[in-house]
Amino acid sequence: MVEKKQNGGKNVFATKVGAILAAAGSAVGLGNIWRFPTEAGTHGGAAFILIYVGFMLFLAMPIMVTEFAIGRHGGSDVADAFEKMSGGRKGWRWMAMFPVVSGFLVLSYYAVVAGWTMYYAFEAITGGFVGKGTADFTADFGSFVSSPVQPVGWTALVIALTCAIVALGVQRGIEKGAKIMMPLLFVFIVFLMGCSLSLPNADLGLQFLFCPDFSKVDGSVVLSAMGQALFSLSVGLGCLCTYACYFRKDVDLMKDGVTVAGIDTMVALFSGVIIFPAVYSVPGLSPDAGPSLVFVTLPNVFQELFGGSPVMVYVLSVVFYLLLVMAALTSSISMLEMSAVYFHAKRGMSRPLAVVLVGVVCLVLGTFCSLSFGEWSDVKLFGMTFFDLFDYLVAKFIMPLGGMLMCVFLGWVVDEKVMRMEMTNHGSIKSPMYPAFRLIVRYVAPVCIILVFLNELGFFSFFE
């Protein structure tokens, strides 16, 4: 099968639906199903969520559309995108290294956590959760992540599956994978929501999610909501910019941006509907359980629900962890593509060879990250383990700096006429939101990103 080509002979997504699902799949990941409930639980629930949704609509989504505009204008790869849109200023080509470096760093440690979800899915499928208690889950998780072999093997499996999909190309790999996994993800979500809403204390979980208590709102909650919105859409990394290189010329960037942001937000909210009614239905559990929520708290919750029925424990466990696996893979695909496309398009490698190269490097780095929970827990750089260092670099430097540079580039470097023509498909569609979009990109987004950046570095703690 020969892939359709457009954009100067380059590969493109075959359908608009495929483009939307691929972009949504890149955004939807463990950050929605794991990190969002953790952040919401820690910061008071509904009030945090309202602020988060506001930042998603008026900050994160416009920055995402900025990436879309840059990527599609280039039509081949991120390096060409920046050079073409800047009017031939080659100094901006160095921005192509952002997604390359981001892809290596993010996939290396993300694949470790994704491997955990795959291991837990395997455990659920083989009945490993039935009959266990809280102490068992705590001990099992600690034993697993500290093992020198098992987590590395599951990390390798995640990277291998990701490589297999990306090596097939834009349409037969990335687009087709999104068309299969995203619908499955929503089927799993709907099933789990139905189960969760049938629980006796579901109303308490929904109240926590949707009845705001604004007395809990302070500067930390606002900045955390802002950071979660940016993190959730993965803005600043370059994966959305990379995918936009495969957008067809008739894609309405603003409209599809709203659609992708809506899907991403919906998955995050639905994840809260799954988790918090379940947490409130088991005595002694708290919604602010933190990162252990998914791998220790929830397996215990499954044991207590529906009278501890072995059948329901099995079904809930299997479906939930398969949901996590789907979410992890849709994001890992975009992470690997960011780096692989550079070696394919700019270094002349075949796509399979470029994918293997990136996969091998990420596996080596991922092994370092995995071992930092056990054998290499005492090996530290700048006072951090490999896993913590990679996470720190990506979340606190690369993402905010990448988002800032993209806003500065499109808002201040690119000719306004070029920007307007890209947003209106050369005048073929109306874009009533364009003036507000330009205002946000030029002024609002850079200021907000600076605030998030300073908050992540602990700057505001000096004033407490």
Side-chain angles (χ1 to χ4, degrees):
M1 176 180 176
V2 178
E3 296 196 331
K4 295 179 181 178
K5 294 188 177 183
Q6 196 176 300
N7 295 9
K10 300 300 181 179
N11 291 325
V12 297
F13 291 120
T15 64
K16 291 183 180 180
V17 171
I20 290 173
L21 289 178
S26 173
V28 172
L30 296 178
N32 300 75
I33 302 171
W34 178 15
R35 193 174 190 269
F36 173 80
T38 298
E39 288 290 301
T42 303
H43 294 98
F48 170 88
I49 292 172
L50 282 177
I51 299 170
Y52 161 80
V53 171
F55 281 127
M56 179 65 75
L57 291 175
F58 299 108
L59 177 64
M61 191 272 289
I63 299 176
M64 178 181 64
V65 174
T66 297
E67 292 201 39
F68 284 172
I70 295 171
R72 189 179 68 173
H73 190 83
S76 56
D77 61 82
V78 178
D80 283 349
F82 279 95
E83 184 174 346
K84 289 179 181 179
M85 220 172 190
S86 66
R89 303 175 197 175
K90 293 186 178 181
W92 280 95
R93 290 181 64 87
W94 67 271
M95 275 292 292
M97 298 310 298
F98 247 91
V100 176
V101 174
S102 299
F104 280 118
L105 292 180
V106 181
L107 183 58
S108 296
Y109 77 88
Y110 189 89
V112 173
V113 182
W116 298 351
T117 69
M118 197 166 284
Y119 165 74
Y120 269 68
F122 174 78
E123 282 288 289
I125 291 171
T126 56
F129 288 169
V130 178
K132 290 186 176 180
T134 304
D136 298 315
F137 289 120
T138 301
D140 287 351
F141 181 68
S143 174
F144 170 70
V145 299
S146 62
S147 168
V149 177
Q150 272 193 300
V152 175
W154 290 102
T155 299
L157 181 57
V158 168
I159 293 177
L161 287 173
T162 303
C163 287
I165 294 171
V166 175
L168 290 173
V170 175
Q171 293 174 15
R172 293 186 298 133
I174 298 171
E175 183 175 0
K176 189 174 182 179
K179 285 182 175 180
I180 294 172
M181 287 186 284
M182 288 301 290
L184 275 176
L185 184 145
F186 279 104
V187 169
F188 293 156
I189 285 177
V190 170
F191 173 78
L192 289 169
M193 283 177 60
C195 293
S196 190
L197 291 174
S198 68
L199 297 173
N201 290 329
D203 57 324
L204 296 178
L206 295 178
Q207 182 177 342
F208 178 79
L209 273 173
F210 299 116
C211 295
D213 179 1
F214 290 105
S215 65
K216 297 180 180 180
V217 176
D218 56 19
S220 175
V221 171
V222 172
L223 288 171
S224 294
M226 189 191 307
Q228 175 61 24
L230 297 173
F231 185 91
S232 184
L233 282 182
S234 303
V235 295
L237 290 176
C239 50
L240 294 170
C241 193
T242 300
Y243 271 13
C245 293
Y246 311 134
F247 282 3
R248 302 187 328 186
K249 293 298 184 184
D250 59 350
V251 169
D252 186 334
L253 298 183
M254 193 72 75
K255 180 180 178 181
D256 288 358
V258 172
T259 301
V260 171
I263 292 173
D264 184 82
T265 304
M266 183 171 61
V267 171
L269 293 176
F270 285 175
S271 299
V273 173
I274 292 170
I275 290 173
F276 292 118
V279 169
Y280 274 97
S281 295
V282 176
L285 297 182
S286 171
D288 59 351
S292 64
L293 186 69
V294 168
F295 298 108
V296 177
T297 303
L298 282 180
N300 185 56
V301 167
F302 295 149
Q303 301 295 317
E304 302 292 333
L305 301 180
F306 301 101
S309 164
V311 174
M312 289 306 299
V313 170
Y314 181 83
V315 171
L316 288 173
S317 302
V318 168
V319 174
F320 180 76
Y321 286 104
L322 285 178
L323 167 63
L324 288 182
V325 170
M326 292 296 106
L329 285 176
T330 57
S331 292
S332 65
I333 290 168
S334 66
M335 295 170 190
L336 192 142
E337 175 68 9
M338 283 193 294
S339 299
V341 73
Y342 173 80
F343 294 100
H344 174 50
K346 289 306 178 189
R347 299 302 176 187
M349 292 185 182
S350 67
R351 175 174 277 271
L353 180 59
V355 167
V356 170
L357 171 64
V358 175
V360 169
V361 173
C362 287
L363 178 58
V364 172
L365 296 177
T367 299
F368 294 168
C369 292
S370 181
L371 292 176
S372 68
F373 289 92
E375 297 287 315
W376 291 3
S377 59
D378 294 329
V379 178
K380 297 184 179 180
L381 296 174
F382 307 104
M384 292 177 278
T385 64
F386 284 106
F387 185 94
D388 291 337
L389 178 62
F390 282 24
D391 182 52
Y392 183 86
L393 289 173
V394 171
K396 293 179 171 53
F397 284 96
I398 291 179
M399 287 185 70
L401 184 57
M404 168 71 75
L405 288 173
M406 288 184 185
C407 288
V408 169
F409 176 74
L410 194 63
W412 297 95
V413 176
V414 174
D415 188 297
E416 197 275 335
K417 292 181 180 179
V418 175
M419 179 178 175
R420 181 183 292 273
M421 293 300 284
E422 194 62 43
M423 297 306 302
T424 61
N425 291 358
H426 294 271
S428 64
I429 60 174
K430 294 181 180 180
S431 185
M433 293 187 290
Y434 174 77
F437 168 77
R438 180 167 169 77
L439 177 67
I440 290 172
V441 169
R442 283 171 64 88
Y443 300 104
V444 178
V447 172
C448 290
I449 292 173
I450 289 173
L451 291 176
V452 172
F453 184 72
L454 293 176
N455 180 61
E456 293 288 355
L457 293 178
F459 176 80
F460 296 109
S461 63
F462 292 108
F463 301 97
E464 295 178 354

